[in-house]
């Protein structure tokens, strides 16, 4: 049997660490050629070195997803290097500012939404432009369980991830008939540097066991558990999956 992403060219954003790095490894193992993007170029290069050891073809592009010209450059670089674009995992994101909504500044709102929501819009726009030229593709956007339900002091993050769900479905409906599938993954809490930096803050002592208890499966998720879902959604095995909200959350949203 062929590997799930055999011969596919895939863009991964937020590839310098966390879920994006795990996705790069999983997609390389599944036979993809990769364009790895992040504004942390050193981190992305470290990911790329591991991907190369797995035998995958790979290019690193320094790109800030909140800047349209850099996202356009990323897609153009992927097509220039590999000749086409078959898939994308739009995963770069930043966490909330942990501020009550009535104290949240416009700058704090923009900081999160410019990356998490506007960044996904720019990625979709340029990836779809490229995919239309070669007859289609598949896109997975990283939303969150917090795109569906909320926690306190994370209004801008919840709004951004809810926006990703709407944007994903809008694109799925608009381009499904042209061979482009678009789905959103909703991770529960995953053990990545984003979460490590949150739970290491003194005001969040005790948060980690509370978070674990919040997942019916009794633990946090691992980056590779999100990566494997993304591999499947980008593969032809998921050929009838379009516009879905795909929870990978240990049951967080089932409670
Ligand atoms: N970790 C979790 O519990 C969790 C849960 C639900 C959703 N998510 C989402 O999963 C995605 C990945 O999160 P993670 O936990 O791996 O985070 P992380 O902080 O470990 O990694 C995020 C990566 O995105 C990159 N990035 C941030 N802003 C960028 C920008 N403007 N342009 C390009 N790259 C940028 C960072 O440099 C980093 O490499 C995010 O969208 C996050 O919101 C995470």
């Amino acid at each position: 049997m062929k590997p799930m992403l055999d011969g596919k060219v895939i863009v991964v954003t937020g590839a310098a660490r966390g879920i994006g790095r795990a996705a790069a490894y999983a997609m390389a193992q599944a036979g993809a050629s990769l364009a790895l993007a992040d504004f942390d170029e050193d981190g992305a290069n470290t990911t790329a070195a591991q991907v190369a050891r797995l035998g995958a073809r790979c290019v690193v592009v320094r790109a800030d997803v909140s800047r349209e010209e850099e996202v356009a450059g990323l897609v153009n670089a992927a097509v220039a290097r590999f000749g086409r674009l078959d898939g994308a995992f739009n995963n770069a994101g930043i966490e909330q500012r942990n501020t009550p909504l009535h104290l949240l500044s416009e700058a704090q709102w923009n900081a999160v939404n410019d990356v998490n929501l506007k960044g996904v819009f720019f990625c979709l726009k340029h990836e779809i432009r490229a995919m239309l030229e070669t007859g289609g593709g598949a896109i997975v956007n990283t939303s969150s369980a917090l795109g569906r339900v909320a926690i306190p002091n994370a209004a801008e993050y919840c709004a951004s991830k809810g926006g990703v769900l709407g944007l994903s479905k809008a694109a799925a409906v608009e381009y499904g008939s042209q061979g482009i599938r678009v789905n959103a993954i909703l991770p529960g809490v995953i053990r990545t540097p984003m979460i490590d930096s949150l739970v290491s803050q003194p005001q969040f002592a005790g948060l980690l066991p509370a978070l674990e208890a919040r997942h019916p499966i009794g633990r946090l998720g691992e980056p590779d558990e999100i990566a494997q879902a993304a591999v499947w959604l980008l593969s032809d095995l998921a050929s009838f999956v379009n516009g879905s909200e795909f929870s990978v959350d240990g049951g967080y949203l089932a409670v």
Side-chain angles (χ1 to χ4, degrees):
M1 199 171 120
K2 280 187 179 173
M4 268 201 272
L5 298 178
D6 191 40
K8 291 193 189 293
V9 175
I10 294 178
V11 161
V12 178
T13 72
R17 64 183 206 178
I19 293 169
R21 173 174 282 177
Y25 295 167
M27 290 172 192
Q29 279 167 334
S33 299
L34 297 169
L36 302 178
D38 206 293
F39 60 17
D40 171 5
E41 201 172 4
D42 289 345
N45 279 325
T46 302
T47 306
Q50 178 63 24
V51 160
R53 277 195 286 277
L54 293 168
R57 295 189 303 163
C58 172
V59 62
V60 171
V61 182
R62 205 217 78 91
D64 177 342
V65 297
S66 69
R67 300 176 68 89
E68 182 166 10
E69 69 279 12
E70 296 189 16
V71 174
L74 160 64
V75 171
N76 292 342
V79 173
R81 172 73 171 78
F82 299 117
R84 54 186 294 118
L85 182 66
D86 303 300
F89 184 39
N90 298 324
N91 163 80
I94 59 173
E95 65 275 42
Q96 66 270 17
R97 312 287 94 171
N98 298 308
T99 303
L101 190 151
H102 73 285
L103 299 176
L104 196 64
S105 68
E106 184 179 0
Q108 288 174 312
W109 169 273
N110 287 342
V112 170
N113 278 277
D114 279 0
V115 178
N116 292 8
L117 183 54
K118 197 166 70 174
V120 171
F121 161 61
F122 289 150
C123 286
L124 283 168
K125 176 177 171 181
H126 291 281
E127 290 155 2
I128 288 169
R129 160 178 66 76
M131 289 174 181
L132 287 172
E133 288 180 12
T134 48
I139 298 175
V140 173
N141 297 322
T142 306
S143 175
S144 169
L146 298 185
R148 289 273 309 285
V149 297
I151 56 170
N153 303 330
E156 80 286 29
Y157 185 82
C158 295
S160 72
K161 293 301 187 179
V164 169
L165 296 179
L167 199 47
S168 302
K169 281 184 262 195
V173 167
E174 204 168 328
Y175 294 99
S177 64
Q178 294 173 76
I180 300 176
R181 296 183 298 106
V182 184
N183 292 288
I185 286 187
L186 288 67
V189 183
I190 310 301
R191 291 219 63 138
T192 66
M194 177 186 277
I195 292 303
D196 289 341
S197 76
L198 191 69
V199 298
S200 65
Q201 295 170 39
Q203 72 265 38
F204 295 117
L207 179 62
L208 188 57
L211 285 176
E212 286 169 343
R214 178 67 183 75
H215 295 72
I217 221 162
R219 64 172 174 84
L220 303 189
E222 295 297 329
D224 185 58
E225 293 178 303
I226 305 303
Q228 295 300 335
V231 166
W232 183 77
L233 284 168
L234 290 175
S235 80
D236 295 339
L237 295 177
S239 51
F240 201 54
V241 184
N242 188 35
S244 76
E245 297 184 2
F246 200 90
S247 302
V248 188
D249 66 355
Y252 189 104
L253 287 172
V255 178

